[in-house]
């Protein structure tokens, strides 16, 4: 702090002490005056209360002798004759005295209350002044500490900054050497790649890699789907899908590989436990948290089973699964709204979805029957063809679905042991294979 600031600060403190002393003296004088005033008012108030009632009845003393008795009688007669005039005046005076006494009492109470409040305010003002002085002193100390710390940090940063600059300069030189070595290697790689391109090896590797795909489906259904795409003339940029019984967002999904390639569609899943996962990992798909049924607007009881992908609205089917596998149990029963295939197609699709996936635990055939394949013809339909079992199926599948899809001019391109992949015969027929 400069010399000028210290001098000003000392003068301000001295002025504050003088003001406080003067204020204390005034307060003491004011307090003495108030006490004297209140004492005087109390005396006058006592006199008012003692003379509050006024009446025409005055005591008349009797003197000795006949003259005294005559005077007494005369006074009695005069008082009696003047009663009708004097008594109203006395009554009026009594009312006035009573009102005046009450007003003075109230004013005295208000004055004492006001004096108490003024004294309280004066005490608060004194406390505020003390707190202000303490805060100013504390701020001054903290300012000094801050300035000392700032000087210390500035000195430390100056030393460390010098060290960092030296280290960065050293690292920069080493980095330049490493970059030079990397550029040299890149030049060698570029020469090697040019040799590979000239010999045609690079094109062969590219064609081989284009057929590699990561499969998320249970039995490679998505890989088969990508294999047949060139033969049915589907461009993924214009494709859509409707996944009935979506289950998990990625695991065991027949449509997630399409989602990775930029295809978007509608996922229908009745199990509320799986909805947050679908919304997180398939955020650009339409998520419909309802149970597929033949009629909508009728909530159904949905049985959530411990086995993955086995939850169902069919209690008999759930009990059958539990009987075949005692490790499976019903974890929860929830009420779920229903939706029909017609409502889904009408609300979310202006034309038939490119891909239709159906895995709804035993209702596949019923839903297929609801679709008018003369108007709505997905290019590819993937349908679960077996009932739940602990054993792997080989060769057996739902014959009714096979016959029904054949009747509607769909070819079963592949059966994976779980799902059949049907392709619209009209699309397959007119493409090069």
């Amino acid at each position: 702090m400069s010399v000028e600031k210290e001098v000003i600060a000392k003068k301000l403190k001295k002025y504050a002490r003088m003001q406080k002393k003067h204020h204390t003296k005034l307060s003491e004088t004011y307090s003495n005056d108030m006490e004297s005033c209140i004492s005087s008012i109390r005396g006058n108030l006592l006199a008012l209360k003692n003379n509050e009632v006024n009446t025409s009845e005055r005591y008349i003393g009797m003197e000795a002798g006949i003259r005294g008795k005559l005077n007494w009688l005369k006074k009695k007669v005069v008082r009696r004759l003047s009663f009708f005039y004097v008594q109203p005046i006395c009554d009026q005076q009594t009312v006035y005295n009573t009102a005046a006494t009450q007003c003075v009492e109230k004013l005295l109470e208000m004055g004492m209350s006001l004096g108490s409040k003024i004294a309280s305010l004066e005490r608060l003002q004194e406390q505020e002044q003390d707190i202000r002085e303490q805060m100013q002193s504390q701020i001054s100390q903290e300012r000094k500490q801050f300035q000392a710390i700032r000087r210390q940090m500035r000195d430390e940063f100056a030393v460390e900054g010098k060290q960092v600059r030296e280290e960065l300069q050293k690292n920069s030189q080493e980095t330049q050497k490493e970059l030079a070595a990397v550029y040299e290697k890149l030049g060698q790689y570029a020469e090697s790649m040019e040799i590979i391109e000239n010999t045609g090896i690079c094109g062969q590797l590219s064609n081989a890699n284009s057929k590699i795909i990561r499969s998320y489906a249970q039995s490679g259904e998505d890989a088969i789907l990508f294999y047949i795409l060139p033969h049915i003339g589907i461009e993924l940029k214009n494709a859509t899908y409707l996944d009935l019984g979506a289950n998990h967002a990625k695991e065991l999904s027949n449509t997630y590989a399409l989602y990775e390639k930029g295809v978007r569609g509608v996922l229908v899943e009745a199990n509320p436990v799986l909805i947050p996962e679908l919304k997180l990992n398939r955020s650009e798909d339409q998520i419909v948290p309802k149970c597929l049924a033949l009629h909508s607007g009728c909530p159904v009881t949905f049985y959530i089973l411990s086995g993955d992908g086995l939850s169902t609205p069919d209690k008999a089917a759930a009990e059958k699964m539990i009987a075949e596998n005692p490790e499976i149990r019903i974890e929860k029963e929830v009420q779920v709204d229903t939706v029909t295939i017609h409502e889904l197609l009408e609300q979310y699709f202006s034309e038939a979805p490119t891909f239709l996936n159906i895995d709804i635990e035993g209702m596949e055939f019923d839903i297929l029957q609801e679709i008018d394949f003369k108007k709505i013809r997905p290019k590819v339909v993937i349908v679960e063809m077996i009932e739940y079992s602990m054993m792997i199926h080989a060769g057996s599948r739902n014959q009714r679905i096979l016959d029904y899809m054949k009747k509607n001019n769909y070819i079963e391109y592949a059966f994976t042991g779980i799902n059949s992949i049907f392709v619209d015969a009209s699309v397959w027929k007119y493409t090069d294979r």
Side-chain angles (χ1 to χ4, degrees):
M1 183 181 291
S2 62
V3 177
E4 293 82 356
K5 290 182 179 180
E6 288 183 357
V7 171
I8 293 171
K10 289 179 180 179
K11 288 184 177 181
L12 285 173
K13 289 182 179 179
K14 183 178 180 182
Y15 177 74
R17 286 195 295 271
M18 290 174 63
Q19 286 291 102
K20 183 176 180 181
K21 183 177 181 181
H22 179 65
H23 183 268
T24 303
K25 186 176 181 181
L26 288 176
S27 298
E28 291 175 353
T29 304
Y30 173 77
S31 177
N32 294 332
D33 291 344
M34 281 292 294
E35 289 179 0
S36 175
C37 182
I38 289 172
S39 177
S40 176
I41 292 172
R42 281 177 175 168
N44 292 330
L45 179 61
L46 182 62
L48 280 172
K49 289 186 73 69
N50 291 334
N51 297 280
E52 184 176 7
V53 179
N54 193 14
T55 178
S56 61
E57 292 289 335
R58 295 288 191 273
Y59 173 74
I60 301 174
M62 183 184 294
E63 299 176 358
I66 294 174
R67 182 180 294 274
K69 291 182 179 180
L70 288 174
N71 288 334
W72 177 79
L73 181 62
K74 188 191 302 182
K75 291 179 181 179
K76 292 276 283 187
V77 171
V78 171
R79 186 180 67 180
R80 188 67 179 171
L81 289 173
S82 62
F83 174 79
F84 296 102
Y85 176 75
V86 175
Q87 185 62 36
I89 297 174
C90 292
D91 292 342
Q92 183 180 6
Q93 184 65 39
T94 299
V95 172
Y96 173 80
N97 292 344
T98 302
T101 302
Q102 293 177 354
C103 286
V104 172
E105 286 180 342
K106 293 295 181 183
L107 288 173
L108 181 60
E109 290 178 2
M110 292 173 62
M112 293 178 68
S113 175
L114 183 60
S116 176
K117 291 181 179 178
I118 291 172
S120 177
L121 288 173
E122 289 175 347
R123 288 194 297 272
L124 288 174
Q125 190 173 6
E126 291 175 359
Q127 292 175 1
E128 182 184 357
Q129 181 66 24
D130 293 339
I131 293 172
R132 187 183 293 111
E133 291 178 358
Q134 291 176 3
M135 290 181 64
Q136 288 177 349
S137 175
Q138 185 176 356
I139 291 171
S140 177
Q141 293 177 0
E142 291 179 352
R143 184 182 290 113
K144 291 178 180 178
Q145 292 176 359
F146 173 74
Q147 290 175 350
I149 292 171
R150 186 173 61 179
R151 286 193 297 271
Q152 182 181 356
M153 291 179 65
R154 185 175 56 203
D155 296 340
E156 291 177 356
F157 285 154
V159 175
E160 292 181 359
K162 182 179 179 181
Q163 295 175 351
V164 170
R165 283 194 298 272
E166 293 175 353
E167 188 174 351
L168 285 174
Q169 186 175 4
K170 181 180 178 181
N171 291 339
S172 176
Q173 295 174 353
E174 294 177 354
T175 302
Q176 288 178 359
K177 293 179 181 179
E178 292 176 357
L179 284 173
V182 170
Y183 288 144
E184 183 178 355
K185 290 183 179 179
L186 285 174
Q188 295 174 358
Y189 291 148
E191 292 176 0
S192 302
M193 290 300 297
E194 185 178 357
I195 295 171
I196 291 172
E197 288 178 0
N198 293 334
T199 57
I201 296 175
C202 184
Q204 294 173 14
L205 291 173
S206 177
N207 291 333
N209 291 332
S210 66
K211 296 180 182 180
I212 297 174
I213 179 173
R214 179 182 176 183
S215 176
Y216 298 92
Q218 188 171 2
S219 298
E221 288 81 1
D222 48 5
I224 297 172
L225 185 62
F226 277 102
Y227 178 78
I228 64 174
L229 288 180
H231 300 289
I232 55 178
I234 292 178
E235 295 185 11
L236 291 180
K237 64 180 181 179
N238 300 320
T240 58
Y241 51 76
L242 174 57
D243 195 339
L244 306 179
N247 200 29
H248 291 290
K250 299 181 182 180
E251 185 182 0
L252 306 179
S253 174
N254 291 339
T255 57
Y256 186 73
L258 291 169
Y259 184 84
E260 277 194 326
K261 295 293 184 180
V263 184
R264 299 294 179 260
V266 178
L267 308 179
V268 182
E269 177 53 53
N271 189 346
V273 177
L274 299 174
I275 298 303
E277 177 192 347
L278 292 172
K279 288 182 177 181
L280 177 64
N281 296 294
R282 306 284 287 269
S283 58
E284 296 184 20
D285 279 339
Q286 295 287 338
I287 313 298
V288 182
K290 295 183 179 182
C291 183
L292 199 68
L294 302 181
H295 302 283
S296 63
C298 303
V300 297
T301 301
F302 191 78
Y303 301 94
I304 301 177
L305 303 184
S306 57
D308 195 19
L310 302 179
S311 301
T312 175
D314 188 342
K315 186 175 183 180
E319 291 174 346
K320 183 180 178 182
M321 293 177 193
I322 294 171
E324 293 182 2
N325 185 2
E327 294 181 359
I328 296 175
R329 65 186 183 282
I330 296 177
E331 293 186 335
K332 189 186 295 185
E333 298 180 15
V334 294
Q335 293 295 310
V336 181
D337 289 335
T338 55
V339 65
T340 66
I341 183 69
H342 300 293
E343 290 172 332
L344 292 170
L345 292 171
E346 182 178 352
Q347 182 176 353
Y348 296 103
F349 297 94
S350 58
E351 57 184 15
T354 312
F355 307 101
L356 174 62
N357 185 73
I358 307 177
D359 182 3
I360 45 179
E361 302 307 324
M363 287 189 62
E364 290 82 5
F365 183 71
D366 296 330
I367 298 304
L368 285 171
Q369 284 186 309
E370 290 292 307
I371 301 174
D372 185 357
F373 283 105
K374 292 181 180 179
K375 298 179 180 179
I376 306 296
R377 295 191 64 81
K379 300 296 189 296
V380 180
V381 180
I382 303 176
V383 187
E384 188 176 50
M385 298 290 283
I386 61 172
E387 295 183 356
Y388 171 76
S389 174
M390 292 293 294
M391 304 298 293
I392 297 177
H393 286 257
S396 63
R397 54 191 184 276
N398 193 318
Q399 189 61 42
R400 286 200 305 168
I401 294 178
L402 276 173
D403 295 339
Y404 186 77
M405 295 302 289
K406 183 177 181 181
K407 178 182 176 181
N408 284 280
N409 200 27
Y410 275 85
I411 302 169
E412 184 190 31
Y413 175 79
F415 174 62
T416 64
I418 298 173
N419 298 301
S420 283
I421 301 175
F422 296 97
V423 180
D424 184 357
S426 62
V427 176
W428 184 267
K429 187 177 183 180
Y430 297 106
T431 56
D432 295 331
R433 290 183 239 183

